[in-house]
Amino acid sequence: MALVVQKYGGSSVGSAERIRRVAERIVDTKKAGHDVVVVVSAMGDTTDELLDLARQVAPVPPAREMDMLLTAGERISNALVAMAIHSLGAEARSFTGSQAGVITDGAHGRARIIDVTPGRVRSALDEGSIVLVAGFQGVSQTSKDVTTLGRGGSDTTAVALAAALGADVCEIYTDVDGVFSADPRIVADARQLESISYEEMLEMAACGAKVLMLRCVEYARRYGVPVHVRSSYSTKPGTIVSGSMEDIPVEQAIITGVAHDRSEAKVTVVGVPDNPGKAAQIFRAVADAEIDIDMVLQNVSGAATGRTDITFTLPRTDGPAAVEKLTKLQPVIGFTQVLYDENVGKVSLIGAGMRSHPGVTATFCEALATAGVNIDIISTSEIRISVLCRDTQLDDAVRALHAAFDLGDPDGGQAVVYGGTGR
Amino acid sequence: MALVVQKYGGSSVGSAERIRRVAERIVDTKKAGHDVVVVVSAMGDTTDELLDLARQVAPVPPAREMDMLLTAGERISNALVAMAIHSLGAEARSFTGSQAGVITDGAHGRARIIDVTPGRVRSALDEGSIVLVAGFQGVSQTSKDVTTLGRGGSDTTAVALAAALGADVCEIYTDVDGVFSADPRIVADARQLESISYEEMLEMAACGAKVLMLRCVEYARRYGVPVHVRSSYSTKPGTIVSGSMEDIPVEQAIITGVAHDRSEAKVTVVGVPDNPGKAAQIFRAVADAEIDIDMVLQNVSGAATGRTDITFTLPRTDGPAAVEKLTKLQPVIGFTQVLYDENVGKVSLIGAGMRSHPGVTATFCEALATAGVNIDIISTSEIRISVLCRDTQLDDAVRALHAAFDLGDPDGGQAVVYGGTGR
């Protein structure tokens, strides 16, 4: 008998009919002899509807009350799933984040989990009940107010509960079959991965793979919780996220997949005086606006002019704020101008094996050159190469890299280790 | 500076526009220098929508989960009102029933308040904040599960908080202008009462006046909380419920009002063996089905037959269950047959003064006789006379009694004491 934590997204419980189907799946798991804890997101459009109501009554709703409001969504969906389970003849009990012991800091709308004390969850399990826990929410350690965890919060709730309960696996049910070597909508022969290490999944998530949020993977890695990504609508085997990349045989594993990201924009600060501290002034200004930057490039300064250009990427949604902030500081910093470019895309190649395989970067650049893709910025980690290119060339770049590293061929590359189930 | 508890019903907060208007009213009270605690019901149709969802996923939803589901409604409306107040520049903080310290027994769907420990409410008030508390809900003392208080629960929450906080008044905002001498839809010259004693209001509520639930009035009387019934949509003075009927000058106060009730049905058990214990068997059977009975009549037994008839009234919704239960027990109890009649109505005359005024019953019966209304059953308390009649004659009966006791005449009867504001 195992202890299984399952998480279902909002679309999986978007209607009464879907709720009943999810309930059947949960009861099947229980009948197979396992203890089951389930985290459910708010139904389909509930969160958007509540946000809309909030905007109608207050132009800038206070964050504390926004959390009180939004957490009603998960309360509703979890109670409904519990009812549906009950009507199938199994015992079920739903708990709010607070009741389940999900303790957070006090940052409303983007709280971080500090501790999980699932005493009531454990008791209910011991009494033979299936346990539902409202995702995305917790209770502030200091103020005892209701908090929300921000984007991807329900995944994080599920992983945190799995860690606190010592669960055998955390199953994340979603609307895709698992983690793929590339986005199947772009690459026709993209293959589903049977498994992937935490580190590689972290890089994939950070580079635009949307199946799991970065934060949930970080949590899973820290506590060693195996995460099983599966489809809500099929019984396909999905993808297991677990284990360190250190465990992967160096001879076999080279490249895991290609990720891409269309959500970034590029800012170039032109003619920055080449004095110590000028770059710091620029990045401090952006950080003060609570904007995360991603890739950074500083051109070698021309000795003749004594000036340099600094380029960085950031979320497109933060672009206008960053430009405004920098423009205000132009007299202080003394640069010439700010350029802003939204027509960029980022493509990344991820694979634990590239650490010990020379030539990956060469093959990478050759593949893009052959496809006619110009590289704007390049950045690397131990197990990742990312480049910025024109957004119009992004799909070509993804396809070129996927082909160049044989990711779609069952008899080559990664497939030997991660040999998939086909799709 | 006073401490005011205000309660707004579901229709008062049925839209974003109405929520903003309620928020203005609350902020006005705060600006007048008072501490304000507000209890809000779920928005308009929210509860019905949630009930509908529940029925779609489970034919017989478990009560614990139903409470978890339904309490989301008040959470939403209270958070929205808090946001609207905030956007008017005042501080507001919303609390769930549990957070506000509303502690109940464990009877899901019809929990009773055991204690109120409003420590967090008090702290928020001390910090200058307006406090919102989700009505209708509490937390079970034993299981720590979320509970609901059943019908009229939000009124009870408001009165209970007012009692626990030692509030100066509990204002119940509703869609009528106050408590009337009779239903204005039936009696054209019904007058609004300026004030009414707890005892009289209890009798009015028990006899069908819908403006306040019995339970909320009982709570108010026990803790001496003045309840002010007012319209959400006007600034009219409303009706104050407070004080004992003992305080009313005997010379002036005779009759307060006429109440009526169309929700009852009549059961007659015919040919009951006239032995000790037979009536008890019948009432025990009905009580075991958790059905409350109201008026009871036992005909004098015919010595010749050794049998008697027992008649009682009960909520119409419980009628079929009672008949079924009794029919099952017919062989045990040994009566002849069960008759069931839904075409009945109850009219009641309430007034503290009738204790010391002889002739009220006579005038009462004369008035009904003149109006051609046949009396089926009659029952009385110290300050009330109720009769059961045909439902088709109920409106006539109400009008006849209202006229006979001069309740609509500003210069006569009750008006001297309760002299109204007109309407």
Side-chain angles (χ1 to χ4, degrees):
Chain A
M1 190 180 83
L3 171 53
V4 179
V5 175
Q6 298 185 333
K7 182 262 172 177
Y8 294 91
S11 63
S12 309
V13 293
S15 66
E17 167 59 27
R18 287 190 176 177
I19 285 174
R20 286 198 301 270
R21 248 185 291 153
V22 162
E24 282 167 17
R25 183 152 213 157
I26 295 166
V27 172
D28 285 347
T29 310
K30 175 73 179 169
K31 281 188 180 156
H34 305 306
D35 279 343
V36 191
V37 175
V38 181
V39 175
V40 181
S41 298
M43 289 174 73
D45 303 327
T46 308
T47 303
D48 287 341
E49 286 165 16
L50 292 174
L51 283 170
D52 186 48
L53 267 175
R55 272 190 295 262
Q56 285 180 50
V57 300
V60 188
R64 178 193 185 279
E65 298 304 325
M66 196 56 121
D67 281 358
M68 186 66 113
L69 179 75
L70 294 182
T71 47
E74 280 75 19
R75 190 181 189 117
I76 291 170
S77 57
N78 278 267
L80 289 172
V81 173
M83 290 176 186
I85 292 171
H86 194 266
S87 81
L88 295 172
E91 282 297 312
R93 231 175 290 174
S94 73
F95 294 101
T96 64
S98 171
Q99 290 175 335
V102 179
I103 297 162
T104 73
D105 62 21
H108 287 291
R110 51 186 171 84
R112 313 233 19 133
I113 296 176
I114 293 173
D115 195 9
V116 181
T117 54
R120 294 180 68 181
V121 174
R122 174 64 75 192
S123 301
L125 287 174
D126 290 346
E127 291 164 19
S129 190
I130 292 168
V131 174
L132 285 292
V133 176
F136 174 70
Q137 58 183 253
V139 60
S140 161
Q141 190 171 42
T142 47
S143 70
K144 307 295 176 203
D145 286 334
V146 173
T147 54
T148 65
L149 308 180
R151 262 189 86 193
S154 287
D155 287 6
T156 309
T157 302
V159 170
L161 274 169
L165 292 163
D168 297 277
V169 65
C170 178
E171 298 179 342
I172 306 281
Y173 287 89
T174 176
D175 50 7
V176 296
D177 286 342
V179 182
F180 282 80
S181 60
D183 187 334
R185 288 167 299 185
I186 296 175
V187 180
D189 67 341
R191 58 198 349 268
Q192 191 210 301
L193 308 178
E194 203 169 275
S195 65
I196 183 172
S197 68
Y198 293 121
E199 290 91 338
E200 287 167 309
M201 191 66 233
L202 276 177
E203 292 282 9
M204 293 281 275
C207 293
K210 293 189 177 59
V211 61
L212 286 179
M213 294 295 291
L214 189 59
R215 196 169 160 194
C216 143
V217 184
E218 279 172 345
Y219 210 106
R221 179 171 69 163
R222 193 180 324 143
Y223 293 96
V225 176
V227 174
H228 191 175
V229 181
R230 304 183 65 178
S231 166
S232 303
Y233 308 113
S234 78
T235 52
K236 291 186 184 167
T239 302
I240 299 273
V241 184
S242 69
S244 165
M245 63 180 187
E246 310 298 337
D247 306 333
I248 302 167
V250 169
E251 293 72 29
Q252 296 179 314
I254 302 176
I255 302 300
T256 301
V258 180
H260 70 278
D261 192 347
R262 272 180 230 284
S263 70
E264 297 200 343
K266 183 178 73 165
V267 171
T268 304
V269 189
V270 180
V272 180
D274 197 12
N275 308 332
K278 285 296 171 187
Q281 280 185 316
I282 288 168
F283 294 127
R284 171 58 56 202
V286 177
D288 285 348
E290 299 220 341
I291 296 168
D292 286 329
I293 64 169
D294 181 18
M295 307 172 96
V296 176
L297 176 76
Q298 179 167 354
N299 291 345
V300 177
S301 64
T305 62
R307 289 180 178 266
T308 185
D309 297 345
I310 293 176
T311 299
F312 58 91
T313 65
L314 77 183
R316 213 171 277 184
T317 48
D318 292 331
V323 170
E324 191 191 331
K325 180 96 185 182
L326 286 170
T327 306
K328 259 189 211 154
L329 290 172
Q330 187 167 4
V332 181
I333 305 178
F335 55 81
T336 317
Q337 67 176 136
V338 181
L339 303 176
Y340 180 63
D341 183 0
E342 289 201 336
N343 302 314
V344 295
K346 187 172 83 163
V347 61
S348 305
L349 188 75
I350 290 109
M354 70 173 71
R355 287 175 298 166
S356 49
H357 277 73
V360 169
T361 306
T363 307
F364 184 101
C365 294
E366 283 160 13
L368 292 184
T370 307
V373 175
N374 276 325
I375 297 174
D376 196 349
I377 310 181
I378 186 162
S379 92
T380 62
S381 81
E382 202 185 14
I383 62 168
R384 173 185 54 82
I385 308 172
S386 300
V387 300
L388 203 70
C389 65
R390 293 289 84 198
D391 56 353
T392 48
Q393 296 189 307
L394 188 59
D395 289 2
D396 287 343
V398 171
R399 279 188 285 262
L401 293 173
H402 197 265
F405 288 93
D406 284 337
L407 299 180
D409 178 0
D411 301 314
Q414 186 61 21
V416 177
V417 172
Y418 293 125
T421 57
R423 183 170 192 260
Chain B
M1 189 181 84
L3 171 53
V4 179
V5 175
Q6 299 185 331
K7 181 261 171 180
Y8 294 91
S11 62
S12 310
V13 292
S15 67
E17 167 60 27
R18 288 191 175 177
I19 285 174
R20 285 198 302 269
R21 248 185 291 153
V22 161
E24 282 167 17
R25 183 153 213 157
I26 295 166
V27 171
D28 285 347
T29 310
K30 176 72 181 169
K31 281 187 179 156
H34 305 305
D35 279 343
V36 191
V37 175
V38 181
V39 175
V40 181
S41 298
M43 289 174 74
D45 302 328
T46 309
T47 303
D48 287 341
E49 287 165 15
L50 292 174
L51 283 170
D52 185 49
L53 267 176
R55 272 189 296 262
Q56 285 179 51
V57 300
V60 188
R64 178 193 186 279
E65 297 305 324
M66 195 57 121
D67 281 357
M68 186 67 113
L69 179 75
L70 294 182
T71 47
E74 280 76 18
R75 191 181 188 114
I76 291 169
S77 57
N78 278 268
L80 289 171
V81 173
M83 289 176 186
I85 291 171
H86 194 265
S87 80
L88 294 172
E91 281 298 311
R93 231 175 289 173
S94 73
F95 294 101
T96 64
S98 170
Q99 289 175 335
V102 179
I103 297 164
T104 72
D105 61 21
H108 287 291
R110 50 185 172 84
R112 313 233 19 133
I113 296 176
I114 294 173
D115 195 9
V116 181
T117 53
R120 293 180 68 180
V121 173
R122 175 64 75 193
S123 301
L125 287 174
D126 290 348
E127 289 165 20
S129 189
I130 292 168
V131 174
L132 285 295
V133 176
F136 172 70
Q137 60 182 253
V139 60
S140 161
Q141 191 172 39
T142 46
S143 70
K144 309 294 176 205
D145 286 334
V146 173
T147 54
T148 65
L149 309 179
R151 262 190 84 194
S154 287
D155 288 6
T156 309
T157 301
V159 170
L161 274 169
L165 292 164
D168 297 277
V169 65
C170 178
E171 299 179 341
I172 305 281
Y173 287 89
T174 175
D175 49 7
V176 296
D177 286 343
V179 182
F180 282 78
S181 60
D183 187 334
R185 286 168 300 185
I186 295 175
V187 180
D189 67 341
R191 60 198 348 266
Q192 192 210 302
L193 308 178
E194 205 170 272
S195 67
I196 183 171
S197 68
Y198 293 122
E199 291 90 338
E200 288 167 309
M201 192 65 234
L202 276 177
E203 292 281 9
M204 292 281 274
C207 293
K210 294 190 178 59
V211 60
L212 285 179
M213 294 295 290
L214 188 59
R215 196 170 162 193
C216 143
V217 185
E218 279 172 345
Y219 210 106
R221 179 170 68 161
R222 193 181 324 145
Y223 292 96
V225 177
V227 175
H228 191 174
V229 180
R230 304 184 65 177
S231 166
S232 303
Y233 308 113
S234 78
T235 53
K236 292 186 183 166
T239 302
I240 300 272
V241 184
S242 70
S244 165
M245 62 181 187
E246 311 296 340
D247 306 332
I248 301 167
V250 169
E251 293 71 29
Q252 295 179 311
I254 302 177
I255 301 301
T256 301
V258 180
H260 69 279
D261 191 348
R262 272 179 230 284
S263 69
E264 298 200 344
K266 183 178 74 163
V267 171
T268 304
V269 188
V270 180
V272 181
D274 197 10
N275 309 331
K278 285 296 173 189
Q281 280 185 319
I282 287 168
F283 294 127
R284 171 57 57 202
V286 177
D288 285 348
E290 300 220 340
I291 295 168
D292 288 327
I293 64 169
D294 182 18
M295 308 172 93
V296 175
L297 175 78
Q298 179 167 353
N299 291 346
V300 177
S301 63
T305 62
R307 287 179 180 269
T308 184
D309 297 344
I310 292 176
T311 300
F312 59 90
T313 65
L314 78 183
R316 212 170 276 183
T317 47
D318 291 332
V323 170
E324 192 190 330
K325 181 95 184 183
L326 287 170
T327 306
K328 259 190 210 152
L329 290 171
Q330 187 167 4
V332 180
I333 304 177
F335 55 82
T336 315
Q337 67 176 136
V338 180
L339 302 177
Y340 180 64
D341 183 0
E342 289 200 338
N343 302 315
V344 295
K346 187 172 81 162
V347 61
S348 306
L349 188 74
I350 289 110
M354 69 171 73
R355 286 175 301 165
S356 50
H357 278 73
V360 169
T361 307
T363 307
F364 184 101
C365 292
E366 284 160 13
L368 292 185
T370 307
V373 175
N374 276 323
I375 295 175
D376 197 349
I377 311 181
I378 186 161
S379 93
T380 61
S381 81
E382 202 186 13
I383 61 169
R384 175 185 52 81
I385 309 174
S386 301
V387 301
L388 203 70
C389 65
R390 292 291 84 197
D391 56 353
T392 50
Q393 296 189 306
L394 188 60
D395 289 1
D396 287 344
V398 171
R399 279 189 285 263
L401 292 172
H402 198 265
F405 289 93
D406 284 337
L407 299 181
D409 177 1
D411 301 315
Q414 185 60 22
V416 177
V417 171
Y418 293 127
T421 56
R423 184 171 191 259

